[in-house]
Amino acid sequence: MRPDGREPDRLRPVTIERGFIRSSTGSALIRMGETRVICTASVEEGVPGWLRGRGQGWVTAEYGMLPGSSAQRIPREAARGKIGGRTHEIQRLIGRSLRSVTNLGRLGERTIWIDCDVIEADGGTRTAAITGACVALVDALDAMVATHALERSPMEDLVAAVSVGIVDGEPRLDLSYEEDSKAEVDMNVVMTGGGRYVEIQGTAESGTFSREDLDRLTALGAAGVASLVTIQREVLGRRA
Amino acid sequence: MRPDGREPDRLRPVTIERGFIRSSTGSALIRMGETRVICTASVEEGVPGWLRGRGQGWVTAEYGMLPGSSAQRIPREAARGKIGGRTHEIQRLIGRSLRSVTNLGRLGERTIWIDCDVIEADGGTRTAAITGACVALVDALDAMVATHALERSPMEDLVAAVSVGIVDGEPRLDLSYEEDSKAEVDMNVVMTGGGRYVEIQGTAESGTFSREDLDRLTALGAAGVASLVTIQREVLGRRA
Amino acid sequence: MRPDGREPDRLRPVTIERGFIRSSTGSALIRMGETRVICTASVEEGVPGWLRGRGQGWVTAEYGMLPGSSAQRIPREAARGKIGGRTHEIQRLIGRSLRSVTNLGRLGERTIWIDCDVIEADGGTRTAAITGACVALVDALDAMVATHALERSPMEDLVAAVSVGIVDGEPRLDLSYEEDSKAEVDMNVVMTGGGRYVEIQGTAESGTFSREDLDRLTALGAAGVASLVTIQREVLGRRA
Amino acid sequence: MRPDGREPDRLRPVTIERGFIRSSTGSALIRMGETRVICTASVEEGVPGWLRGRGQGWVTAEYGMLPGSSAQRIPREAARGKIGGRTHEIQRLIGRSLRSVTNLGRLGERTIWIDCDVIEADGGTRTAAITGACVALVDALDAMVATHALERSPMEDLVAAVSVGIVDGEPRLDLSYEEDSKAEVDMNVVMTGGGRYVEIQGTAESGTFSREDLDRLTALGAAGVASLVTIQREVLGRRA
Amino acid sequence: MRPDGREPDRLRPVTIERGFIRSSTGSALIRMGETRVICTASVEEGVPGWLRGRGQGWVTAEYGMLPGSSAQRIPREAARGKIGGRTHEIQRLIGRSLRSVTNLGRLGERTIWIDCDVIEADGGTRTAAITGACVALVDALDAMVATHALERSPMEDLVAAVSVGIVDGEPRLDLSYEEDSKAEVDMNVVMTGGGRYVEIQGTAESGTFSREDLDRLTALGAAGVASLVTIQREVLGRRA
Amino acid sequence: MRPDGREPDRLRPVTIERGFIRSSTGSALIRMGETRVICTASVEEGVPGWLRGRGQGWVTAEYGMLPGSSAQRIPREAARGKIGGRTHEIQRLIGRSLRSVTNLGRLGERTIWIDCDVIEADGGTRTAAITGACVALVDALDAMVATHALERSPMEDLVAAVSVGIVDGEPRLDLSYEEDSKAEVDMNVVMTGGGRYVEIQGTAESGTFSREDLDRLTALGAAGVASLVTIQREVLGRRA
């Protein structure tokens, strides 16, 4: 039995609020259970030095947690003067995930900054960030099409992500913090609207997992991502 | 005429949402016009080294702006590896303001961390942070009384703050970003529920101001703070 | 009775030694009682990036305390690898104060670096820094006129500053460290030679202050600044 | 056809030199093709603060690349003053991988520092680091058994890792730098001597991958890891 | 002919002003020509961690240059967030030099912080710092004897330093900045009052030097240090 | 009697392996007893800003120790976020030493990065680094001649270095770590193939040394360097 009574293959309640930050051309507040993340997409002319002159764009992501987002206060990384290993890893994952569905050539020499800030944390913040940021990115790119900065959107598909894991020997979808902290195996699955994999990261901190476990977890993740993409489409007013 | 048609002595629409972060014992989302700030108060046992052994507590504040909180993206201080001068100044101001109404002796050897994170910025973020943080602090301390960690709350009064300024020669209350960026004089006024000053900071970056200007601005600020304290009392369900 | 027997409305003995650093085109050693600050003004061609191309200059300030400037050694900020909040606040105050009397357009695309280094600290270091730095700045700009780098000096007035405060219930001018550390209210007043306000910062760390206190302190500060401007004029060999 | 003529399912030539650093109780130089990594394991009494008092130990890893390890010099992270995101990610991966086969309770309140320093880089440095570090860790723990610091070794299995990827549409084992830089999909597989998964990280930076791709890559990786474990056993003089 | 007309074996005019910082128990302002350095010695109970429990003390030094100390402004190391290589080297040299004449056992578990801050720089700042700091240290330790914190001073001798160099093929004593910047060989000689070497650092940045050059420079340095020690003794009111 | 039974004037066994890093155009692994250092020389077009436009090149050095290079693990400077004083000092020494034998004008506007990374440390790492780096530099510059990037090599001589010291009152050549840690005087001598001094650094951390000691140590060092240059010549296949 899960702490909130959910079936093993069920997501927590999900809502995505488009345009949560009015001054931003692309933003969303995603909520998955008690986890809430503000996602924004900001466009900047130009690209990082190593990419200059190749006629293509870049999508990069930054991630943070508000100190008060968790019952136990999280020290501010700005105050510590450096970004921790976990944050780096998450930032890189979000960036890669969004680039996988963006045609960087069509974007032109521009950088999209994706910012994902967790305002309340109850597990699955990095996967919620990817799912919410995808909506913000769609809107920011559509706004560029609307102002004729781009001829058509460089987004080639949607992308969403979910966590799965093995808790008390049972494969489960969309772990809460309580479940995550005692999971034997933890896996993040990032997939496109078209059902192809972008990233899969499975980790057994305590113990190990078998080939069969891997198969069950990836199947569970694929189903979860499919549900999230359906929600993204509804929110964006798109057909499948 | 002000950009949003307000009278010179009127606040923008103000709302304070208590308990915005569920996992926090004291939190508030304050909105003043388009400016929105999440404020949380977290209790930690113990005090900074220089205060140890004196039987009194400490209230300290941190402040941040989400990168996407403004139309022009704000680089993340954690990524730059250091906190800028403006942030330091604001953090110190918020901390002093809240300590002025807290009986640190009655708090005992505990530290209250106040976190103010701007999710959308349209001027007056530091004063909104003080006003919102006061509500979060009241709730966090009341929760300690409810669990008998404290016998009675160390809060001795409420505290609120507002910006005033001279724009196009006219003294105005509660400047928006557009007004603030062209103000001749900018002043922040922090006062208690009892109508006494806690802090007053008036600055003329371009030009200077007279004794009469000073008097007019402090009067305008006092009236604005009085209105904010009334709102705090309503939100907290308190009588004057 | 004050620790050094002064009347409440008296400054400590003040001296300003022009040209204290021979290799500098503008420098001063200001002494207010036991407080001593070396102030220099260095001219650099060009302006910060955000100001480029607008045909105007910039005045910026840095402030430091020698570790041995106080009986209790002050750790070196360079060794700690970052500048503290108090230093940031002071640097910004000094910069704003000097810019308020400088015609930045007439300066052209140049940056003036003001450095204020406290060699002995006994209260009022930031206000002494402003008063001393003003003399250094006058000399640096006059030297540019002398070498025909500028047609006439961009200085439009003098600027000076003083601290005032309430100690043992009594408003006092120019607090020493001993008085400052037990003051109920502490205020810094920055004014021009013409008697207009540039900045006013009043803080009640313990307790609060009334409208009447504010009036008394600003009056005391205005008189103190007027005396300092007279000394600046004498040192610079100028008529009122 | 691969650049070095290998079959798609073949490892590069692998050697592991035990005891490469004489002053270290556990060290190894691993070579996979032109990639060479020095791995050491150092024992320190005590554990990080958050683990204190629980009677268990910790295994943590650090990773670096010598600036001259690649034809294009790699700037030194110590000189830049911070560790990059890629390094953080690798360090965390190595640490998790080794902890998965170490009985931390049996280790007692000690920390094992694993250091992996790449002296020549030609792809697959992080997986080589894991495979080499496992040998260094076995030796460091066996040395503690030999000196009676431990009754028996906390190592419960061996662990090894390899990269696999899809290059020109073909799944391949153990990519060189040249292959890695043009791979469509890149995956790292970490497994135990017993053939169970510890970590699997598959990434499609350009494009995406299907369920079938995932299956082919994990099979290829499992075979590669099995060969590496055989080499580890030979080097360590152990039977299967 | 030297720029200031001195003979090759002559020091610049030297003065040492004891007690330059009134609040400090040991301080000196040393002037060698236009070079001026403020030196202070501050006593702190306790020693660095690695020395704890051995019953002996420590003498450590920090060095800085005021930004305005040179005609070309020197960026503040605190603002850059790190201490440069040259500063590190100088700090270590000053610390070693003073430790060489201090009986650390007799000092007990205390740390003496030596701070040397250059207020005007015209060559030879590190050697002037050593010579001036020695006087500050004598006074700080004598003050401890006076207050019975120590039975007798741990200073076992005086120490002084001077620069020598080869300029235009000629060995010269006590180089000014102008000479130093074109010297073929530059050497710093640190010696005790008793005429023994503490440190000798000779460097040929452009070109090299012979055994004969080395002999001539060390002789010149020894004579210079002897003169400086005579001045130290006069200032301190000591007999040879 | 020395710990390893050597005569006071004997070097430890020395080997220099050219081309240790295959991907590097100039590299060497130097071994002196148990001390091993990997040295590489990397060429970069362009020079630091302060040297631009003068038509000459630059040689700069970085130095590091692998954490596992010593029995007691050395914390990684990249993890601490800053480079320590000792490292800075060594880097500057290596850079100066190699520049002394390089004709920077003939190099043209290029920077040579010398990296010296200690993989095992048993005393004398900085002097071994200089001796090994010289070989790497010769090879990197010869490779540029071979590809016609340079007409002829800018190397004008060889350079090598050795440590000498007084241990138990006896002057000794090439100290091991055990000897170094109890030496009364420690000196590093850097000389050219032609027998001229480049740098001499003698330090007495405990105690002092006489003129006679200085003479004996420099003679011992000169003989040691001469032997090392002979080895460099053999390795490089050059005649004296």
Side-chain angles (χ1 to χ4, degrees), chain B residues 31-90:
Chain B
R31 177 193 292 259
M32 295 190 73
E34 295 302 319
T35 289
R36 279 184 289 168
V37 187
I38 298 177
C39 308
T40 55
S42 312
V43 184
E44 191 183 88
E45 292 301 310
V47 287
W50 54 270
L51 200 61
R52 226 161 273 161
R54 298 206 216 152
Q56 69 168 87
W58 191 241
V59 178
T60 189
E62 289 189 355
Y63 166 97
M65 299 183 83
L66 295 204
S69 64
S70 144
Q72 175 78 14
R73 182 180 185 271
I74 299 162
R76 205 174 279 268
E77 293 191 321
R80 295 178 47 225
K82 60 177 175 179
I83 289 182
R86 177 183 170 275
T87 298
H88 270 300
E89 222 172 286
I90 294 175

Side-chain angles (χ1 to χ4, degrees), chain D residues 7-227:
Chain D
E7 293 299 309
D9 61 351
R10 289 290 296 253
L11 295 172
R12 292 174 287 180
V14 181
T15 59
I16 302 176
E17 184 179 342
R18 274 169 86 189
F20 182 69
I21 304 295
R22 288 208 208 175
S23 58
S24 174
T25 52
S27 71
L29 171 70
I30 183 168
R31 176 193 294 261
M32 294 190 74
E34 294 303 316
T35 289
R36 278 183 290 168
V37 187
I38 298 177
C39 308
T40 55
S42 311
V43 184
E44 191 184 88
E45 291 303 310
V47 287
W50 55 269
L51 201 60
R52 228 161 272 160
R54 299 206 214 151
Q56 70 169 86
W58 192 241
V59 178
T60 190
E62 290 189 354
Y63 167 95
M65 297 183 84
L66 294 205
S69 64
S70 142
Q72 175 78 16
R73 184 181 183 268
I74 300 162
R76 205 173 280 266
E77 293 192 319
R80 297 180 45 225
K82 60 178 176 178
I83 288 181
R86 176 183 172 276
T87 299
H88 270 300
E89 224 171 284
I90 294 174
Q91 295 186 154
R92 289 159 57 88
L93 172 63
I94 300 171
R96 281 195 308 267
S97 299
L98 294 171
R99 284 193 298 274
S100 75
V101 290
T102 310
N103 185 323
L104 297 176
R106 206 186 297 153
L107 178 57
E109 293 221 340
R110 293 182 181 92
T111 299
I112 311 283
W113 290 84
I114 299 294
D115 287 286
C116 299
D117 288 273
V118 178
I119 63 174
E120 189 153 5
D122 186 30
T125 61
R126 79 186 71 184
T127 46
I130 291 168
T131 308
C134 176
V135 171
L137 180 58
V138 166
D139 278 343
L141 293 172
D142 284 354
M144 292 173 77
V145 174
T147 60
H148 305 290
L150 288 171
E151 210 170 314
R152 60 194 182 99
S153 175
M155 285 294 277
E156 302 191 321
D157 202 343
L158 297 177
V159 65
V162 78
S163 80
V164 287
I166 301 181
V167 185
D168 297 336
E170 180 186 67
R172 292 184 184 170
L173 177 66
D174 188 20
L175 308 186
S176 69
Y177 176 74
E178 185 187 338
E179 291 176 308
D180 186 69
S181 58
K182 60 177 189 181
E184 295 108 50
V185 182
D186 180 38
M187 181 176 287
N188 293 305
V189 178
V190 186
M191 296 178 79
T192 63
R196 291 178 63 88
Y197 291 89
V198 171
E199 182 107 13
I200 179 168
Q201 296 188 336
T203 298
E205 176 93 26
S206 70
T208 54
F209 58 100
S210 67
R211 176 74 226 180
E212 291 68 40
D213 293 332
L214 176 60
D215 289 346
R216 259 170 299 182
L217 290 172
T218 48
L220 207 49
V225 169
S227 303

Side-chain angles (χ1 to χ4, degrees), chain F residues 177-230:
Chain F
Y177 176 73
E178 184 186 338
E179 292 176 309
D180 186 69
S181 58
K182 60 177 188 180
E184 295 108 50
V185 182
D186 179 38
M187 182 175 288
N188 293 305
V189 178
V190 186
M191 297 177 79
T192 64
R196 291 178 63 89
Y197 290 90
V198 171
E199 183 108 13
I200 180 168
Q201 295 188 335
T203 299
E205 176 92 26
S206 69
T208 55
F209 57 102
S210 67
R211 177 74 226 183
E212 291 67 40
D213 293 330
L214 175 61
D215 289 346
R216 258 170 299 182
L217 289 172
T218 48
L220 207 50
V225 169
S227 302
L228 290 166
V229 170
T230 301

Side-chain angles (χ1 to χ4, degrees), chain F residues 3-17:
Chain F
D4 56 2
R6 265 186 296 154
E7 294 297 309
D9 61 349
R10 289 289 297 251
L11 294 172
R12 291 175 289 181
V14 180
T15 60
I16 302 176
E17 184 178 342

Side-chain angles (χ1 to χ4, degrees), chain A:
Chain A
M1 190 66 175
R2 302 180 72 168
D4 56 2
R6 267 187 294 153
E7 294 298 310
D9 62 349
R10 289 289 297 251
L11 293 173
R12 291 175 289 180
V14 181
T15 60
I16 302 176
E17 185 178 340
R18 273 169 85 191
F20 181 68
I21 304 295
R22 287 208 209 174
S23 57
S24 175
T25 53
S27 71
L29 173 68
I30 183 166
R31 177 194 292 261
M32 294 190 73
E34 295 302 317
T35 290
R36 278 183 290 168
V37 186
I38 298 177
C39 308
T40 55
S42 313
V43 183
E44 190 183 270
E45 292 301 311
V47 286
W50 54 270
L51 201 59
R52 226 162 273 160
R54 297 206 215 154
Q56 70 168 86
W58 192 241
V59 178
T60 189
E62 289 188 356
Y63 166 96
M65 299 183 83
L66 295 205
S69 65
S70 144
Q72 174 79 14
R73 183 180 185 269
I74 300 161
R76 204 173 281 267
E77 293 192 321
R80 295 180 45 226
K82 60 178 177 177
I83 288 181
R86 176 184 171 274
T87 299
H88 270 299
E89 221 171 287
I90 294 175
Q91 296 187 153
R92 289 159 56 90
L93 172 63
I94 300 171
R96 281 196 308 266
S97 298
L98 295 170
R99 285 193 297 273
S100 75
V101 291
T102 309
N103 184 322
L104 297 176
R106 209 188 294 153
L107 177 58
E109 293 222 339
R110 294 182 180 92
T111 299
I112 311 282
W113 290 84
I114 300 294
D115 286 287
C116 299
D117 288 274
V118 178
I119 63 175
E120 190 154 4
D122 186 29
T125 62
R126 81 186 70 185
T127 48
I130 290 168
T131 307
C134 175
V135 171
L137 180 57
V138 166
D139 278 345
L141 293 173
D142 283 354
M144 292 174 77
V145 174
T147 60
H148 305 291
L150 287 173
E151 212 170 312
R152 61 195 183 99
S153 174
M155 287 292 279
E156 302 191 320
D157 201 343
L158 297 177
V159 65
V162 77
S163 80
V164 288
I166 301 180
V167 184
D168 296 336
E170 180 186 67
R172 292 183 185 170
L173 178 65
D174 189 20
L175 309 186
S176 68
Y177 177 74
E178 185 187 337
E179 291 176 309
D180 187 69
S181 58
K182 59 178 189 179
E184 295 108 51
V185 181
D186 179 39
M187 182 177 287
N188 294 304
V189 178
V190 186
M191 296 177 79
T192 63
R196 290 178 63 88
Y197 291 89
V198 171
E199 182 108 14
I200 180 168
Q201 295 188 336
T203 298
E205 176 94 25
S206 69
T208 55
F209 57 102
S210 68
R211 175 74 225 183
E212 292 67 39
D213 294 329
L214 175 61
D215 289 345
R216 261 171 297 182
L217 289 171
T218 49
L220 206 51
V225 168
S227 304
L228 289 166
V229 170
T230 301
I231 293 168
Q232 287 176 327
R233 285 197 180 114
E234 280 165 13
V235 166
L236 289 165
R238 300 201 169 180
R239 310 210 196 95

